[in-house]
Amino acid sequence: MIFAGIVLLVLRHWAWGGGSFVGGWVLLFLGHRVEGNKPAFFQGPIYLLVGPIWVAKEAWTFLFHGAARGEAKEEKHQAS
């Protein structure tokens, strides 16, 4: 939700972006409170980048690797 909020803010959907961003942080802290763990970014500022990088990697893989896999399937089907 935090990452989606940033994207929405960049796209100038201010109300949705701000709500998603703040709501994501609230849910993050509530979840860690329930678990009894501190968020990893309390260990150092570099950990603030780990989550967004992981989400971006997963989105990239889902959007582009999945499309490449579909194209490869189609090419294999056409070849046979």
Side-chain angles (χ1 to χ4, degrees):
M1 281 183 66
I2 296 167
F3 185 74
I6 293 169
V7 171
L8 288 170
L9 285 170
V10 168
L11 296 174
R12 295 190 178 156
H13 295 284
W14 302 109
W16 283 99
S20 294
F21 184 79
V22 171
W25 280 105
V26 168
L27 290 174
L28 179 129
F29 282 111
L30 285 174
H32 280 285
R33 173 103 175 166
V34 168
E35 289 178 339
N37 298 327
K38 291 182 180 176
F41 60 82
F42 284 152
Q43 296 173 9
I46 192 71
Y47 288 100
L48 280 171
L49 299 174
V50 171
I53 290 171
W54 184 83
V55 170
K57 182 184 98 40
E58 290 294 315
W60 182 269
T61 302
F62 177 77
L63 293 173
F64 297 107
H65 184 66
R69 190 180 312 149
E71 290 171 4
K73 257 188 189 178
E74 187 175 318
E75 287 175 10
K76 184 179 177 184
H77 179 68
Q78 289 177 354
S80 55

